[in-house]
């Protein structure tokens, strides 16, 4: 980890991360020449344990607490922290 620069608010490489497939020729060229691979986030809901597709509701306080759109309305108040929405990869 000593040579890795990771933003303090995010862990970029973790078990379950999946490489993104570049869609445009420019993205493919950038990906081919980049020293660091591109990854998309794979998240599982802490309410129903299903893989989250679409919007991830991420707890802004807890390190790893995510909810899917189905569980978010019922569990956000019970959890007690604020959330922010992010697009799932």
């Amino acid at each position: 980890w000593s040579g890795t620069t990771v933003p303090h608010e995010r862990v970029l490489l973790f078990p379950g991360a999946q490489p993104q497939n570049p869609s445009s020729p420019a993205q493919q060229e950038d990906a081919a020449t980049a020293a660091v691979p591109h990854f998309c986030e794979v998240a599982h809901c802490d309410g129903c344990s299903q893989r989250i597709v679409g919007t991830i509701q991420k707890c802004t306080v807890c390190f790893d607490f995510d909810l899917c759109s189905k569980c978010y309305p019922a569990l956000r108040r019970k959890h007690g922290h604020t959330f922010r929405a992010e697009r799932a990869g």
Side-chain angles (χ1 to χ4, degrees), residues 3-83:
T4 305
T5 55
V6 178
H8 299 298
E9 69 277 357
R10 174 75 69 208
V11 176
L12 296 176
L13 303 175
F14 56 93
Q18 296 179 340
Q20 287 181 323
N21 294 323
S23 57
S24 72
Q27 287 176 330
Q28 290 172 354
E29 185 176 318
D30 288 344
T33 59
V36 178
H38 296 279
F39 287 86
C40 64
E41 184 171 4
V42 176
H44 290 83
C45 178
D46 288 293
C48 65
S49 301
Q50 297 296 311
R51 180 174 173 181
I52 300 175
V53 177
T55 302
I56 304 170
Q57 296 292 339
K58 300 182 85 47
C59 179
T60 60
V61 177
C62 299
F63 174 73
D64 184 23
F65 190 88
D66 308 313
L67 294 173
C68 68
S69 297
K70 282 178 137 180
C71 294
Y72 176 70
L75 297 179
R76 67 185 174 131
R77 292 190 207 326
K78 187 182 282 188
H79 185 66
H81 296 152
T82 57
F83 287 79

